Amino acid sequence: MNNQIDNTILNWEVFELGDHSIVFSKPALMDASIVQEIQAFHNWIIEKNIPFIVDSIPAYHTLSLVYNILTAPKNIKQWGVELLHTFQNNNALNPFSLVEKEIIKVPVCYDEQFGIDLGLIASEKNISVETIIQLHTTETYLVYCLGFLPGFAYMGKLPEQIQVARHENPKPKIMEGSVGIAGAQTGIYPKDAPGGWKIIGRTPLRLFDPVHLATFKMGDRIQFYAISLAEFEAMQKEN
Amino acid sequence: MSITILKKGIADSLQNRGHYGLQAIGVQVGGFMDFLSAQLANYILGNTLDETLYEIHFPASHFQFDEAYCICITGGNFVPIINQQSVPMHQAIVVQKGAILQFLQPLKGRIAYLAFQPMQSIDFSKQQNIIPLSLIQQIEFQIFEKTVFNFIPGPAWCDLTVEAKHALVNSHFKTTVQSNRMGFRIQGPNLHTLVKKNYLSSAVTRGTMQLLPNGQIIILMSDHQTIGGYPNIGQIILVDLPRLAQTNPNQPIQFCLCSLQKAHEQYLSIQEKFAD
C-alpha cells in the first residue's frame, strides 16, 4: 500500500497526535457536510468497539482516537489509514443521509449584568449592542461538536459583523449559562469555568446533568431568542 | 471497611486511571496526575494497577484507619508518619485498627499516593513480596531526576516562527503557581506564530502544549478539557507527564524534541515491568 497517496484519500489526512492518539482530519472548515461525515465515522468506530481504542472525539473537521500504547498496533498510522479505507468503502455502500432537524429555541437574557463583554464588542466592531443581539438571534446555528466542558456545544456560524477574537488571557471564572462568542463560533458555558470567550448574555436552561447528560447533540440546529431579566429569573426558578 | 479523614488536606482526592469514553460529549477523563507513582503503589500492594487510591497534596489530610489495612505510599516524599512513627515509602505496610497516618513536610515532589486494601481482602498470593529495586529506582529517576521534557511536534508546530521553534528547544522555562489538575502554565520567552489565525477546535490530550495568545505555553494535565482552539504546538510524551505533575512552582524546565518511537519505547520500558 502506498502511504503517500493513501494518507490524503478523499480530502482526509491521517496523522499521529502525541504518543497516544491519532487524528483523521478533513479540511479545516466549518461545514455541515464535513461535520456529518465526522459524526458518521465516529458512530461507525463506536459500533466497531475496537479494544485498544479508549476514546473517540469528534470535532469540527477532525476525529481523534485515543489508544492504549500497550495493546495498539505498532504502526498506528498505517492501521488508521486502513481503517479509513474500510470506512470509506462501507460508507460508499450506505451513504449517510442529510436529515434536517427541528430547530431548538434557546432563551438568552442579554442584560448587561450577564453580557459582560457586550460593550467591548460594540466598540470593537463599531456597532450597537442592539445590533449585536439582533444579529446573534437572527441566525440559525448548527452544533458542530461538543467539548471543552461536559455539554458545551460549539455552534456556528456567527454573522461576520460580530466575529471577535477570544480574550488574550482567559478569565478565571465564567458563570454557568453564559453565552459566549469566539471567531465564527458561539456557545454556552454549562457550568462555572475558566474561559476565553467573550460573553454576551446568559441562558436559564441547564445544559448538562449526570442523568440526561448533554442537552444538545452534534448535528442539532439551534436559534437564540432574547428574554428580559424578569423572564430569565422566572425561567431559572422553574429549573 | 473505611478510612476516616480526621482533618482535610488542601487538595486531596480519590483517583483512578480516569473515565474514558465520554469525551465526545465533553466529559473530561481525569485520573492520576503521576500515573507511574499511582501504579507503583497499587503494584506493590497487589492491587490492579488502575485501582482507586488517594492522591495527596501538602498540607495533607490526616487519615485514620477504622480497621486493619495494608497500605503503600509512593510519589512525593511528604515524610509519612503513622502514630507519630516514621514509616517507609514504596513498601507494603500493615496498619492496625485506629492507626493515624499524617504527613510532616514536603521534602520532595508535589503529589504523594496512598494505596490501601483492608487486611481481610488482601490476596497475599498476588502481593509483590519482592519488588524489583530496579523498578522503583527507574520510576524515581523518571519522575524526579530527569530535567528535560520530551515532546512530539503538534499540528501547529509548523505555524511557529523559526525563532519560536529555536526558543522552545533552547530556552529555559519554568513552572508557575498557575498549575492545577487541568493544566500547568509555563513561563518563558514569548513564542509567536507566523500569522495570527483562528484554529477550529479539535481534540487535545494530556500533555498537549497550547500556545496562548500572550505567547506563553500551557501544558494540559489529567482534568484537561476535551477539545481546544489554541494552537497545539506540541505534545509532552506520556511517560514525562508524571514528572511534570511532581514539579513544584518556579522550577526550571527545558523541552526537547522526541520521536514517536522513542516515546513508545520509554513508556513501554516501565509498563512492561509492571506486567512481569
Side-chain angles (χ1 to χ4, degrees):
Chain A
M1 200 179 280
N2 187 328
N3 252 330
Q4 295 299 309
I5 295 164
D6 288 323
N7 287 347
T8 51
I9 37 171
L10 289 169
N11 281 333
W12 283 96
E13 194 192 342
V14 184
F15 61 91
E16 291 125 341
L17 180 71
D19 60 357
H20 63 291
S21 55
I22 177 170
V23 182
F24 302 87
S25 177
K26 297 282 281 187
L29 299 168
M30 283 176 77
D31 180 282
S33 69
I34 289 179
V35 159
Q36 260 160 335
E37 196 171 354
I38 296 284
Q39 198 177 5
F41 193 21
H42 167 73
N43 292 341
W44 183 78
I45 283 168
I46 294 296
E47 256 176 50
K48 276 184 85 82
N49 201 11
I50 303 158
F52 54 85
I53 297 300
V54 296
D55 225 333
S56 172
I57 311 148
Y60 288 97
H61 65 109
T62 56
L63 183 70
S64 305
L65 304 181
V66 182
Y67 62 86
N68 181 345
I69 300 174
L70 275 168
T71 48
K74 284 278 168 276
N75 192 339
I76 192 77
K77 186 165 165 179
Q78 182 65 35
W79 171 84
V81 169
E82 282 164 21
L83 185 78
L84 183 57
H85 266 286
T86 316
F87 169 70
Q88 295 270 339
N89 294 338
N90 191 284
N91 208 36
L93 299 173
N94 311 298
F96 44 86
S97 55
L98 286 160
V99 187
E100 275 296 311
K101 287 196 176 174
E102 203 179 313
I103 294 168
I104 303 167
K105 302 275 188 181
V106 178
V108 177
C109 177
Y110 294 92
D111 190 275
E112 60 187 10
Q113 75 173 81
F114 297 146
I116 49 175
D117 294 320
L118 278 172
L120 190 75
I121 300 162
S123 62
E124 192 182 321
K125 306 300 277 189
N126 202 18
I127 49 173
S128 68
V129 167
E130 289 71 31
T131 309
I132 298 172
I133 298 167
Q134 196 241 323
L135 286 167
H136 192 250
T137 50
T138 305
E139 197 69 42
T140 305
Y141 303 104
L142 173 69
V143 174
Y144 283 91
C145 52
L146 277 84
F148 167 54
L149 291 168
F152 187 102
Y154 287 77
M155 300 175 247
K157 300 170 183 175
L158 217 54
E160 236 170 77
Q161 300 99 299
I162 53 170
Q163 293 188 10
V164 288
R166 291 173 173 80
H167 285 295
E168 285 279 306
N169 226 340
K171 294 268 156 67
K173 189 177 178 184
I174 305 276
M175 300 297 286
E176 175 179 342
S178 291
V179 177
I181 59 176
Q185 311 168 107
T186 182
I188 308 168
Y189 285 77
K191 63 173 184 179
D192 296 354
W197 291 28
K198 291 192 174 133
I199 304 304
I200 59 171
R202 196 178 294 175
T203 180
L205 296 189
R206 300 221 71 172
L207 295 179
F208 188 88
D209 72 71
V211 180
H212 307 95
L213 298 176
T215 305
F216 301 142
K217 289 172 199 69
M218 195 175 178
D220 280 351
R221 290 196 167 272
I222 277 148
Q223 189 172 20
F224 297 106
Y225 67 97
I227 56 169
S228 67
L229 194 55
E231 287 171 308
F232 176 90
E233 281 160 2
M235 290 170 99
Q236 204 176 34
K237 275 196 194 115
E238 279 173 37
N239 286 338
Chain B
M1 64 173 249
S2 68
I3 297 172
T4 305
I5 308 288
L6 294 178
K7 187 180 167 206
K8 208 173 174 335
I10 48 156
D12 297 345
S13 59
L14 283 164
Q15 295 292 341
N16 59 15
R17 72 189 283 259
H19 304 278
Y20 283 98
L22 289 176
Q23 288 196 84
I25 57 164
V27 180
Q28 297 92 328
V29 175
F32 312 134
M33 287 283 278
D34 169 1
F35 65 88
L36 290 174
S37 296
Q39 289 177 323
L40 180 63
N42 277 327
Y43 177 74
I44 292 171
L45 274 194
N47 291 346
T48 58
L49 290 184
D50 298 324
E51 196 135 324
T52 302
L53 42 58
Y54 280 104
E55 186 172 284
I56 296 165
H57 291 73
F58 197 86
S61 304
H62 297 180
F63 301 88
Q64 182 166 43
F65 299 92
D66 300 333
E67 63 177 283
Y69 269 85
C70 200
I71 65 166
C72 179
I73 301 160
T74 60
N77 185 353
F78 297 164
V79 192
I81 56 168
I82 291 176
N83 296 337
Q84 305 301 325
Q85 298 272 318
S86 117
V87 288
M89 296 177 64
H90 309 121
Q91 275 184 30
I93 312 165
V94 174
V95 292
Q96 300 306 323
K97 182 180 174 179
I100 295 171
L101 168 67
Q102 291 163 277
F103 294 86
L104 286 185
Q105 55 168 309
L107 267 194
K108 184 161 81 169
R110 183 187 171 106
I111 302 169
Y113 287 91
L114 167 65
F116 51 90
Q117 196 62 256
M119 281 301 280
Q120 58 185 28
S121 52
I122 289 266
D123 181 352
F124 285 98
S125 67
K126 280 194 192 150
Q127 203 164 8
Q128 307 290 331
N129 286 322
I130 304 159
I131 305 299
L133 196 58
S134 63
L135 177 59
I136 295 172
Q137 279 170 343
Q138 188 180 357
I139 290 175
E140 286 276 290
F141 182 74
Q142 178 62 35
I143 64 177
F144 290 124
E145 302 304 322
K146 288 187 183 174
T147 52
V148 168
F149 289 85
N150 291 293
F151 74 97
I152 296 171
W157 167 258
C158 45
D159 295 335
L160 288 174
T161 61
V162 175
E163 294 77 23
K165 288 178 186 170
H166 186 80
L168 188 56
V169 291
N170 290 299
S171 307
H172 292 272
F173 292 79
K174 66 177 186 177
T175 49
T176 69
V177 290
Q178 288 173 293
S179 302
N180 55 38
R181 287 188 48 88
M182 289 172 77
F184 277 39
R185 286 223 198 181
I186 307 298
Q187 195 185 76
N190 280 334
L191 307 179
H192 300 286
T193 49
L194 293 163
V195 286
K196 280 232 168 193
K197 65 175 179 182
N198 270 321
Y199 294 82
L200 281 177
S201 291
S202 66
V204 291
T205 70
R206 57 191 69 198
T208 294
M209 303 163 80
Q210 288 184 323
L211 184 61
L212 300 177
N214 64 6
Q216 298 290 298
I217 297 170
I218 184 167
I219 300 173
L220 302 183
M221 300 299 276
S222 297
D223 286 352
H224 67 83
Q225 62 200 56
T226 56
I227 66 179
Y230 290 126
N232 176 346
I233 59 171
Q235 298 270 140
I236 302 290
I237 67 173
L238 262 186
V239 78
D240 280 356
L241 288 177
R243 178 156 20 96
L244 188 59
Q246 291 291 2
T247 306
N248 281 302
N250 301 313
Q251 298 290 304
I253 63 171
Q254 276 180 281
F255 300 109
C256 180
L257 279 164
C258 174
S259 70
L260 180 67
Q261 191 192 351
K262 187 179 154 202
H264 282 176
E265 279 169 10
Q266 290 195 15
Y267 179 82
L268 292 171
S269 79
I270 295 175
Q271 294 300 318
E272 280 167 353
K273 287 205 178 87
F274 281 134
D276 284 347

